[in-house]
Amino acid sequence: MKKFLSLALLALLLATAGSGYAQNAATDEFRGAESVKGYVITKNIKVSRSKGAKARYDMSIKAGKACLTADNSTYDFRKPDISEYLILGKDYITYYEPSQDSAPKRFARRSVFNQSANKVTFYKSAPSSWRVGVAVTLVPRIKEYIENVMVKPVVIKEKNAVYLEDGRQKDRKVSMYGKTVYEISFSYKENTERYYIYVYNGAELMKNNFDENGEFAKDFAGAMKVDDKGYCYAKSMEENATFKPCHELSCVVGGIPSIDFVGWISPTQMVIDDMVYDVVK
C-alpha cells in the first residue's frame, strides 16, 4: 500500500483509523463516487432480550461489523441471504440477529451504541490512489471471517460492453467501456482454491441473464470474469461449461449473489457485506 499513499498521509490515516477525522482527510480521493451512510461498530455492544434493570446481556454485536442505512432509523448488516439489522431509538436500539426468517428483538442502550459506533460514509468506488491492475490484500477485523482476500481494480476495455440495471429493459443501458470494476478474490484457507467475484457500483457484477423476451436465458451464467486486458467472459452453470465472451452485464438475478455490498471507508479500510477489512501494511 505504500505505493499508493505518501508516507505522511498513510501515517495520518493509521493514527486516526476508525475516526471521522481519518475519513474526512481522505475525502478528496473519492470525489464523484456514489456513497451511502452507515455505522462501523468499534466496540462490542452487548444486547439483551429485555430493557432496564432486568436486562441480561446474552449476545453482542461484534466490533468490526458495519451496517448501512435502510431508512432514517434502520440500518442493515448486509449479507446475501440473511437478514440482520438494528433500529435506532431515542433511549434504546433494537437489534435483530442474523436470520432467514423472523428473529427475536434484543436491546441495548442508545448511549452505549453512541459510544461504540462511528457514523461513516461508504463509497462505492475505490480511492484514486488505488492503481488499476494492482491487487490490494485485506484482513478482516473479525478473524473468523474469510481471510486471504484481495481486491484489484480493472478497467473495461470491451467497447461493446454495456450495463443494464434491469436486464429485461434492453433499451435502458449504459456503456461500460472505460469504467472500473473490482476483482475480489478469496480463499478459505492458505493454498486452497481461490474464488473470483467482480463488483461494480457496490454490487456483484454478472452477465445479464435475461434474453430478448425477458425470460431467463438458456445459457444462464453462474460465473463471470474480466481478464487483465479488460474483456468480459461468462460461463453457464452446465457441467464442463467454458468461459465465453459476453457484452451485456447486470447485477445478479435469478440467484443469490456471493457478495451483497462492497464499499470503501478510506484508502486503508473497506467493507465487504457486514465486515470491515483493513489493507495489509
Side-chain angles (χ1 to χ4, degrees):
M1 193 59 189
K2 291 181 180 178
K3 294 181 179 179
F4 311 138
L5 299 172
S6 69
L7 293 177
L9 178 56
L10 180 58
L12 173 62
L13 290 168
L14 294 177
T16 57
S19 70
Y21 182 77
Q23 185 166 47
N24 292 338
T27 298
D28 286 348
E29 294 225 40
F30 298 101
R31 192 175 301 279
E34 292 189 24
S35 63
V36 60
K37 300 292 185 181
Y39 285 93
V40 169
I41 309 302
T42 58
K43 300 177 183 178
N44 288 352
I45 302 173
K46 293 182 178 181
V47 291
S48 169
R49 291 189 181 182
S50 60
K51 299 178 181 178
K54 296 182 179 180
R56 294 184 178 180
Y57 296 97
D58 57 350
M59 177 181 276
S60 293
I61 309 173
K62 290 187 176 181
K65 288 171 66 70
C67 55
L68 282 62
T69 182
D71 60 32
N72 290 334
S73 59
T74 301
Y75 292 83
D76 287 335
F77 295 89
R78 298 283 287 272
K79 294 183 177 69
D81 60 347
I82 296 176
S83 174
E84 179 186 5
Y85 62 99
L86 59 82
I87 300 173
L88 300 182
K90 181 180 179 181
D91 298 317
Y92 286 88
I93 68 164
T94 305
Y95 170 71
Y96 295 82
E97 65 187 80
S99 175
Q100 290 183 325
D101 299 307
S102 58
K105 297 178 182 179
R106 283 184 165 83
F107 305 95
R109 291 189 179 276
R110 178 63 187 269
S111 58
V112 173
F113 177 85
N114 291 345
Q115 295 170 5
S116 306
N118 286 339
K119 192 167 189 178
V120 300
T121 300
F122 300 100
Y123 296 97
K124 296 182 181 181
S125 299
S128 58
S129 57
W130 282 36
R131 296 180 182 178
V132 172
V134 177
V136 175
T137 301
L138 307 176
V139 293
R141 292 198 176 173
I142 299 179
K143 298 308 179 183
E144 58 261 37
Y145 273 60
I146 296 173
E147 297 191 21
N148 306 306
V149 179
M150 300 182 75
V151 180
K152 181 173 71 174
V154 181
V155 175
I156 301 294
K157 296 294 181 64
E158 168 57 64
K159 292 185 177 180
N160 295 324
V162 295
Y163 182 82
L164 296 89
E165 289 190 7
D166 183 342
R168 291 188 173 95
Q169 298 185 15
K170 300 292 184 176
D171 59 334
R172 298 183 61 182
K173 54 191 176 185
V174 297
S175 173
M176 286 295 287
Y177 177 69
K179 287 187 166 56
T180 302
V181 300
Y182 303 96
E183 178 187 274
I184 299 178
S185 63
F186 60 90
S187 63
Y188 292 94
K189 294 181 180 180
E190 290 287 349
N191 301 318
T192 60
E193 180 182 1
R194 293 195 71 82
Y195 298 89
Y196 292 83
I197 295 167
Y198 293 84
V199 171
Y200 172 66
N201 202 30
E204 184 175 347
L205 192 65
M206 183 56 66
K207 169 186 172 292
N208 177 41
N209 277 317
F210 289 116
D211 63 19
E212 294 297 330
N213 299 316
E215 304 293 335
F216 286 129
K218 292 182 179 180
D219 60 341
F220 191 96
M224 71 160 287
K225 69 177 181 180
V226 182
D227 67 14
D228 290 338
K229 295 181 179 179
Y231 288 83
C232 305
Y233 301 85
K235 68 176 181 179
S236 72
M237 301 180 72
E238 297 180 1
E239 188 176 359
N240 299 321
T242 58
F243 281 100
K244 298 178 180 180
C246 68
H247 308 295
E248 287 190 348
L249 309 175
S250 184
C251 60
V252 176
V253 294
I256 298 173
S258 300
I259 290 176
D260 195 63
F261 178 78
V262 172
W264 283 259
I265 303 168
S266 77
T268 59
Q269 299 171 2
M270 279 188 71
V271 60
I272 301 177
D273 288 338
D274 65 332
M275 169 53 47
V276 178
Y277 288 79
D278 294 302
V279 171
V280 173
K281 314 303 189 291

